Amino acid sequence: MKRVVVTGMGVITPVGNDIETMWDNLIAGKHGIGLITRFDVSEYKASLAAEVKGFDPLNYMERNEVRRLDLYSQYAIAAATQAVEDSGLEGNVEPARLITCFGSGIGGMTTFESEVEKLLTGGPRKVSPLFIPMMIPNLAAGNIAIRFNAKGSCTAVITACATGTDAIGSAFRAIKHGYADAAIAGGSEAVVTPMGVSGFSNMTALTTSDDVEAASLPFDKRRGGFVIGEGAGVMVLEAYEHAVARGAKIYAEMTGYGSTCDAHHITAPTPDGASSARAISDAIEESGKPEGLIYINAHGTGTPLNDVAETKAIKIALGGNTENLLVSSTKSMTGHMLGAAGAVEAIISVLTLKEGIVPPTIGLNEPDPECDLDYVPLKAREASPDLALSVSLGFGGHNACVAFKHV
């Protein structure tokens, strides 16, 4: 079995469009939540979102390419470009040994909505011939592979809100078992659209709060749903020997991955948290149980059912031994980035190891008595975890957890 390390990272998020900006804002406790700007929300149940701000796709691609890519693919390519440049991998890996493992929970929703409008107002001849390749959720992976000449396996993971985590986990396993030397892995999402917001709000998943300072409230008893977000996160994973041989910088070692299914309900988690606990414990077991401090970047959506079930799952996975545990939900600042969330939060977990600072759960002023772990409320905290975990739980019962250690 090969050791697997992280050698590059890139992000497009509601709190910053590069690693440094995102991290600085998270540690400062700054959120990216505001009134939706892309369409009139006066008749919508939910009016807030964590939108990406100041993103210019022309920093990453030519104008004619922008016109051929849905926004979710633009975010994906931007984050992948950052990660590959950060890693120094390009030109230093055999193309057939470089894989792409990248997903989106929904895919090209912006394109889907605009092309349906064309069909309804102008007829079938008005629908773009690029409609399908812009919309389908595997094309972000395909476009990344084309951009970086990655001729190994190219797979698109779609596991709802666990997508980014499962993509990174799948890439980890491929490298660990010798099927690849390096991988470009992560997830993206761009569904702050009329249909996206309508669909999630009508199923009562989104908060209806209009207070940007008290909208995304993981583990707080006032919580009433998540704030929809968007963006992308990408990791370059690499076999340790390959990274060392080319003199690459190494952020952390990826040491574990757990993936399970509740097999319970299309949207609700199992109340006892047993299946998600198994994903967490599997990742810990593969890593080798640490003796020191553990950090968990929780799924922590701020929905009534999720936060209690996840708290139970964490306790089960750790056998009730939570004294050396810090947990936080950075969704309190980024909102819920859906298919991108797990990838961005895995990156945040790696940064927590590297920097020795745990990002906070902001807005946690009235803790839910059933959520009784140390969620690092309100302010970042200096700490030196030995193991960092990132947990993602998706509609359909998808549970995933990835684990990282110092090299």
Side-chain angles (χ1 to χ4, degrees):
M1 298 291 182
K2 294 182 179 293
R3 296 172 66 187
V4 181
V5 293
V6 181
T7 59
M9 302 189 294
V11 294
I12 300 295
T13 80
V15 292
N17 296 333
D18 57 74
I19 293 289
E20 183 178 3
T21 303
M22 178 194 72
W23 182 247
D24 287 347
N25 283 329
L26 292 175
I27 295 306
K30 295 181 180 179
H31 68 75
I33 298 166
L35 185 70
I36 293 171
T37 64
R38 296 182 186 160
F39 53 93
D40 180 6
V41 293
S42 58
E43 296 184 5
Y44 286 69
K45 295 177 182 179
S47 60
L48 301 181
E51 296 177 331
V52 166
K53 294 163 278 292
F55 173 69
D56 185 355
L58 296 178
N59 290 332
Y60 302 97
M61 60 201 82
E62 297 298 324
R63 193 175 301 277
N64 65 340
E65 189 177 6
V66 172
R67 289 195 291 265
R68 292 171 174 263
L69 294 171
D70 185 86
L71 186 58
Y72 96 98
S73 286
Q74 294 176 26
Y75 290 161
I77 289 173
T81 299
Q82 291 178 29
V84 172
E85 289 180 354
D86 183 38
S87 72
L89 184 69
E90 195 165 14
N92 289 305
V93 62
E94 173 63 35
R97 298 287 295 171
L98 174 60
I99 67 172
T100 307
C101 194
F102 193 93
S104 175
I106 296 175
M109 181 69 85
T110 302
T111 295
F112 187 90
E113 291 186 30
S114 65
E115 295 302 319
V116 167
E117 181 67 21
K118 290 179 185 178
L119 175 66
L120 295 177
T121 58
R125 293 181 181 273
K126 294 295 184 181
V127 174
S128 170
L130 294 172
F131 168 50
I132 299 300
M134 289 177 69
M135 176 199 69
I136 52 179
N138 70 302
L139 254 293
N143 280 303
I144 289 169
I146 292 167
R147 170 67 65 96
F148 297 107
N149 196 34
K151 294 186 176 181
S153 171
C154 180
T155 57
V157 174
I158 305 171
T159 51
C161 306
T163 292
T165 304
D166 278 325
I168 289 169
S170 297
F172 163 72
R173 285 181 174 167
I175 296 171
K176 180 175 180 176
H177 290 276
Y179 297 109
D181 293 328
I184 304 168
S188 65
E189 207 76 84
V191 294
V192 184
T193 67
M195 284 293 290
V197 173
S198 296
F200 279 111
S201 62
N202 288 350
M203 66 181 294
T204 68
L206 301 185
T207 178
T208 57
S209 172
D210 59 3
D211 181 355
V212 297
E213 305 301 331
S216 185
L217 296 171
F219 307 110
D220 192 290
K221 67 182 180 182
R222 298 167 296 158
R223 68 190 184 278
F226 69 80
V227 173
I228 194 168
E230 61 175 353
V234 176
M235 274 188 176
V236 171
L237 297 178
E238 197 166 346
Y240 174 75
E241 296 85 354
H242 189 275
V244 169
R246 69 180 185 86
K249 72 173 181 297
I250 296 173
Y251 285 101
E253 181 174 359
M254 186 168 175
T255 53
Y257 169 48
S259 178
T260 66
C261 184
D262 289 344
H264 167 69
H265 189 270
I266 57 172
T267 57
T270 50
D272 62 6
S275 291
S276 46
R278 190 157 48 85
I280 298 168
S281 61
D282 284 353
I284 293 173
E285 183 176 349
E286 188 174 11
S287 297
K289 196 160 187 177
E291 297 180 358
L293 185 66
I294 298 173
Y295 168 65
I296 296 179
N297 189 297
H299 188 57
T301 57
T303 54
L305 296 178
N306 174 89
D307 294 2
V308 174
E310 187 173 12
T311 299
K312 291 177 181 177
I314 290 169
K315 291 178 179 179
I316 294 168
L318 295 178
N321 300 316
T322 59
E323 295 84 1
N324 293 320
L325 173 68
L326 296 176
V327 181
S328 65
S329 173
T330 46
K331 288 185 179 72
S332 60
M333 295 171 279
T334 65
H336 190 352
M337 301 166 67
L338 306 174
V344 171
E345 290 157 12
I347 289 167
I348 293 167
S349 300
V350 168
L351 291 170
T352 298
L353 283 179
K354 177 178 178 290
E355 302 296 338
I357 305 174
V358 175
T361 305
I362 68 168
L364 185 49
N365 291 307
E366 299 181 32
D368 184 335
E370 292 189 84
C371 301
D372 55 356
L373 300 173
D374 185 345
Y375 301 107
V376 192
L378 307 179
K379 292 184 179 180
R381 190 181 306 170
E382 291 189 6
S384 299
D386 294 310
L387 178 68
L389 306 172
S390 181
V391 178
S392 296
L393 314 173
F395 286 172
H398 303 286
N399 308 307
C401 180
V402 287
F404 303 91
K405 284 184 174 181
H406 299 283
V407 177

